[in-house]
Amino acid sequence: MTKEEFRIVYMGTPDFAVESLKALVEGGYNVVAVVTMPDKPMGRHGSVLQPSPVKQYALEKGLKIMQPEKLKDPAFVEELRALKADLQIVVAFRMLPEVVWSMPPYGTFNAHASLLPKYRGAAPINWAVINGDTETGITTFMLKHEIDTGDIIDQVRIPIAETDNVEIVHDRLMELSGKLVTKTVDSIINGTFKTTPQDSIENAELTPAPKIFRDTCRINWNQPAKKVYDFIRGLSPYPAAWTTLDGKSVKIYEAGIEHNAPADASLPCGSIMCDGKTYLKVKAEDAWLSIHMLQLEGKKRMPVADLLRGAKFGADARFE
């Protein structure tokens, strides 16, 4: 069977999923439909409906679009079955019921932004950076009942630089995902693909990657500076690490470790050192962190030097 004959249904929603769909469409693969989330209400009263990035791309290319509220809806399942897809591909979508993922003769594979079995879950890129990893990647694997546990088809690895934030890693993985998805499809069409059960991988790390909530993003200053630094870049620019000052929220987007400036052990963690003009430093357990970009509650995000033209920090100021 050729790639022009091989029928594919693609499922995805955010920007990350657009690159793989684009690689399939521009590569001449036969994408017979795109499944994505229903349009999201936007605006003050929710009166404006915002289509997902995947839907916007699918509209541009004239692809059939399906937006079920519930993936077990009998009408959706029947419409999906009528497409007679040979394969389904999932990139950054929802958990599928078995009636959906088991439907095509070649099954359904997922492209996940980690080196499985490490970082199963909703936020693998964030947690890889937060945990100070020096490597991550993309994995394609066949879906089965338990989330992110299916047999691995292929992986590609990339380094994480110590200065990378989650946006940089996200964009690099997004580009690679398109290449790995098309490579995986080719191997399935050609009958050359092999799978590896995740539980057969020796010395596998099973670090989880749970969904990130607002409380997850609060900075704990009572730990080594490297931990705080990785935490900040692992959440930058979105959803952003935050702390409080005088009861108000402060988001921190960029920071650096003052390696040659040991922290005064007598000062509580979170203590602020500031010259009122060019720098703002915060004490962690073992060193100072120099804050480069932040956002006070109700204000715009800005470099520290710009902020200090209008904001003043007292001698006893402290982030908590």
Side-chain angles (χ1 to χ4, degrees), residues 33-96:
V34 170
V35 183
T36 190
M37 291 284 284
D39 295 356
K40 187 177 180 180
M42 302 289 286
R44 187 172 181 181
H45 303 291
S47 57
V48 178
L49 294 178
Q50 177 69 35
S52 73
V54 162
K55 180 180 178 179
Q56 292 178 49
Y57 179 80
L59 284 170
E60 291 174 11
K61 298 302 177 181
L63 300 174
K64 177 179 173 62
I65 299 168
M66 304 167 71
Q67 296 179 273
E69 290 282 350
K70 297 180 179 179
L71 295 173
K72 290 184 179 180
D73 185 311
F76 165 69
V77 172
E78 286 308 308
E79 186 179 6
L80 191 63
R81 185 174 285 115
L83 292 169
K84 300 185 183 303
D86 296 298
L87 174 73
Q88 293 174 159
I89 300 170
V90 178
V91 181
F93 192 52
R94 292 186 276 178
M95 188 173 178
L96 302 184

